[in-house]
């Protein structure tokens, strides 16, 4: 380090005034922010110079005193200190005249003025932060900039003292001081590591709170709860409606816990009115999202009864019972289950005793849904069992708020619903009920009891969840190969239960391997559901009863059609006009002038029209075959839909098996191409009266015959269906000629009615 007199630029023997003037001159051209090292050197040289001047004055005074004592000794005199000299009479010496006051040091005067200016600016900043007349954000920033520009902060000791005061002021006035927090952190270097005062650590924690608050934007798990707490303009009735949305109350509760225990600074961002309303709302059990879900569930089931009920009585009382059941369950959950869970949550009680047994029973029901035939009784029973068990699981084991549906899940559900729709409407009423009840129950359990499922599979979560999923899928594969029926029931049950398990796997390990495995498994399971729905869709939805169009069309488009359905070949001779019309449509399809699906529908319409017109005029064997086909159709409809069997609703092709539809189409082609009989041949056989058919069907029992006749005209769909089947069985037992003669008149009248209707 250079000598002090070289740094200050003064002679070594300069007095104090000269040193101060030199320091003041150097200080004006040395900025600590631009040249920190030079400022430190100047300050050290100034302090060393002052110590040197003080030491030199003391040393000179000591030397003069020693010289005076030596001269007095040589002259034989004794020197007496001036403060010990008194008058001979004991009186004190006369007082000396007072010395004139020393001239003020210009540097000290300047330092005092700078200190006063700093205190004035600091007081203005403090008044803007503490009040009572608060400044706005721009005013606070301007006051802080004025403090930081004060000349007194040039000196290191005063700057260090000011740093402590500014840090304490900013920390004590959060959140109003947020306007200058970043500026202060940058000015004093508080973001770096070091030995900071406690107030600085509080400010660094406030920056962490800022980062957390910024993360509560779009896509955060607590986004809706955060928006509910910072929105102070919404009326209370709108807050009450938003509180019914699944997950909102749980998110608000989590934010309150964060503010009360972990990150208290986020409470400054809560709107006071909104926070007060939500604390009062969460302080008691409320009518919430679960109750709304139960009401909606009852409404959906009531709508199904009203639309799909077999009889008017079933439609009426089924809808009333389902709606009343949803209302009763909702009120019971609100008045009993919700208070019980609320008290348990406040006491920290975990109520999951027996959760393993309930989950095991769910797996048993899933295995039954996969393996058992979906008869109406079994389908309704399984659907009711799933719903009752889901209620038990949610009541006993539900510890989570119902999760909200993100836009990704909504998109997945919409896509899956688009594929499931055709297959769903092709099902019987019992199968539809099973799909609806199972889907709602699985979704409810998967969203409300995730934590309990995670605890049940906790010993080996990934292994247990994947093992059960693979076993269920294997069971669906075996069932699809061995038993007939719609694949959507078996595959949907396997995939739905696996999705429930994956929700528990994700809840148990939200940021680790479990979440990744669950995400991959979810994609596979949804793909399985969609594929099963496509496989379950009726043939007409896949492209019509005829074979789908082929990629390469031969030179004669009719050859491919004749190869797939030989009946078209017979049209060449039996009905050439129809054959030419079909060939023209096939040529347009091959040339791209007509859409494939629309072309097949047009061919179906031509064949069906010819079939209806020619059926009363063809041979007896074909009419007898027609009656046998109608008997087979009635038997299949009795298993699928009694109302369709009774003629109370239109018969959809998807209610009948693929084999029956192929048989019926081949018969229709045969009728459309068969030669027409002359009048003499049409009168062969005996026309059997209706009463004779009734007695034949009842083995001659008159009372039973009358009862059967009443059933044919009655409103009981099941009895009406059975009566029709009995009549058809009696009819097909006759000779072909008698069958034809008996049915020709009815077939002719039916054909005319359809033609007039068109």
């Amino acid at each position: 380090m250079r000598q002090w007199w070289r740094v200050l630029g003064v002679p070594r023997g300069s007095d104090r005034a000269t040193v101060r003037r030199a320091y003041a001159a150097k200080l004006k051209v040395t900025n600590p922010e631009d040249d920190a090292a030079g400022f430190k050197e100047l300050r050290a040289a100034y302090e060393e110079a002052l110590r040197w001047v003080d030491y030199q004055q003391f040393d000179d005074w000591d030397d003069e005193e020693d010289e005076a004592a030596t001269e007095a000794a040589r002259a034989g005199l004794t020197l007496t200190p001036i403060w010990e000299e008194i008058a001979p009479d004991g009186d004190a010496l006369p007082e000396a005249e007072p010395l004139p006051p020393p001239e003020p040091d210009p540097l000290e005067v300047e330092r005092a003025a700078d200190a006063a200016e700093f205190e004035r600016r600091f007081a203005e900043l403090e008044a803007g932060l503490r009040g009572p007349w608060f400044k706005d954000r721009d005013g606070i920033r301007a006051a802080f900039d004025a403090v930081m520009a004060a000349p007194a902060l040039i000196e290191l000791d005063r700057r260090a003292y000011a740093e402590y005061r500014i840090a304490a002021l900013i920390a004590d006035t959060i959140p109003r001081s947020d306007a200058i927090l970043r500026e202060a952190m940058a000015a004093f270097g508080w973001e770096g590591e070091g030995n900071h005062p406690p107030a600085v650590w509080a400010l660094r924690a406030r920056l962490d709170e800022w980062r957390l608050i910024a993360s509560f934007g779009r896509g955060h798990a607590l986004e809706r709860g955060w928006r509910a707490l910072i929105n102070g303009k919404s009326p209370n009735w709108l807050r009450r409606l938003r509180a019914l949305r699944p997950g909102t109350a749980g998110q608000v509760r989590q934010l309150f816990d964060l503010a009360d225990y972990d990150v208290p600074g986020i409470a400054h961002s809560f709107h006071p009115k909104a926070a007060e309303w939500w604390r009062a709302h969460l302080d008691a059990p409320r009518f919430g999202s679960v109750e709304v879900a139960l009401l909606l569930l009852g409404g959906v089931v009531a709508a199904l009864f009203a639309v799909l009920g077999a009889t008017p009585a079933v439609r009426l009382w089924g809808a009333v019972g389902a709606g009343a059941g949803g209302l009763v369950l909702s009120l019971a959950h609100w008045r009993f289950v919700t208070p019980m869970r609320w008290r348990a949550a406040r006491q920290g009680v975990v109520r999951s005793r027996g959760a393993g047994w309930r989950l095991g029973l769910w797996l048993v029901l899933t295995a039954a849904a996969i393996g058992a035939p979906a008869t109406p009784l079994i389908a309704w029973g399984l659907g009711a069992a799933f719903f009752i068990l889901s209620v038990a699981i949610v009541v006993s084991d539900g510890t989570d708020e119902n999760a909200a549906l993100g836009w990704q899940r909504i998109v997945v559900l919409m896509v899956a619903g688009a594929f499931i729709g055709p297959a769903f409407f092709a099902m019987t009423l019992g199968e539809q009920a099973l799909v609806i009840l199972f889907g709602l129950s699985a979704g409810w359990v998967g969203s409300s009891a995730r934590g309990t499922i995670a605890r049940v599979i906790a010993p080996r979560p990934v292994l247990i969840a994947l093992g059960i999923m693979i076993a269920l899928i294997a069971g669906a594969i075996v069932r699809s190969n061995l038993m007939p029926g719609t694949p959507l029931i078996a595959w949907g049950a396997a995939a739905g239960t696996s999705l429930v398990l994956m929700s528990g796997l994700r809840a148990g390990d939200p940021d680790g391997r479990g979440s990744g495995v669950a995400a991959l498994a979810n994609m596979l399971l949804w793909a399985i559901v969609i594929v099963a729905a496509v496989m379950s869709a009726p043939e007409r939805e896949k492209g019509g009863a005829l074979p789908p169009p082929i990629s390469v069309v031969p030179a004669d488009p009719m050859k491919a059609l004749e190869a797939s359905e030989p009946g078209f070949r017979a049209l060449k001779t039996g009905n050439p006009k129809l054959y030419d019309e079909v060939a023209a449509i096939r040529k347009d399809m091959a040339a791209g002038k007509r859409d494939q699906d629309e072309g097949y529908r047009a061919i179906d319409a031509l064949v069906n029209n010819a079939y209806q017109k020619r059926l009363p005029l063809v041979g007896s064997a074909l009419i007898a075959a027609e009656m046998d086909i109608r008997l087979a159709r009635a038997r299949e409809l009795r298993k699928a839909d009694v109302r369709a069997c009774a003629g109370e609703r239109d018969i959809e092709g998807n209610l009948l098996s693929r084999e029956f539809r192929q048989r019926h189409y081949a018969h229709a082609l045969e009728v459309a191409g068969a030669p027409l009989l002359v009048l003499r041949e049409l009168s062969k056989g005996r026309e059997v009266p209706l009463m004779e058919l009734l007695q034949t069907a009842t083995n001659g029992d008159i009372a039973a015959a009358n009862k059967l006749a009443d059933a044919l005209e009655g409103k009981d769909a099941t009895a009406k269906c059975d009566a029709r089947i009995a009549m058809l069985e009696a009819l097909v037992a006759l000779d072909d000629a008698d069958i034809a003669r008996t049915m020709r008149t009815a077939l002719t009248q039916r054909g005319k009615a359809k033609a007039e209707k068109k």
Side-chain angles (χ1 to χ4, degrees), residues 627-637 656 660 663:
M627 296 301 105
D628 192 57
I629 288 175
R630 292 191 181 188
L631 175 59
R633 180 180 60 179
R635 288 171 175 171
E636 286 199 8
L637 290 177
L656 303 169
F660 174 81
R663 175 188 175 189

Side-chain angles (χ1 to χ4, degrees), residues 332-348:
H333 195 280
W334 173 40
R335 301 303 300 173
F336 300 104
V337 179
T338 299
M340 179 179 63
R341 292 179 57 184
W342 181 79
R343 288 191 295 268
R346 289 177 65 91
Q347 297 170 2

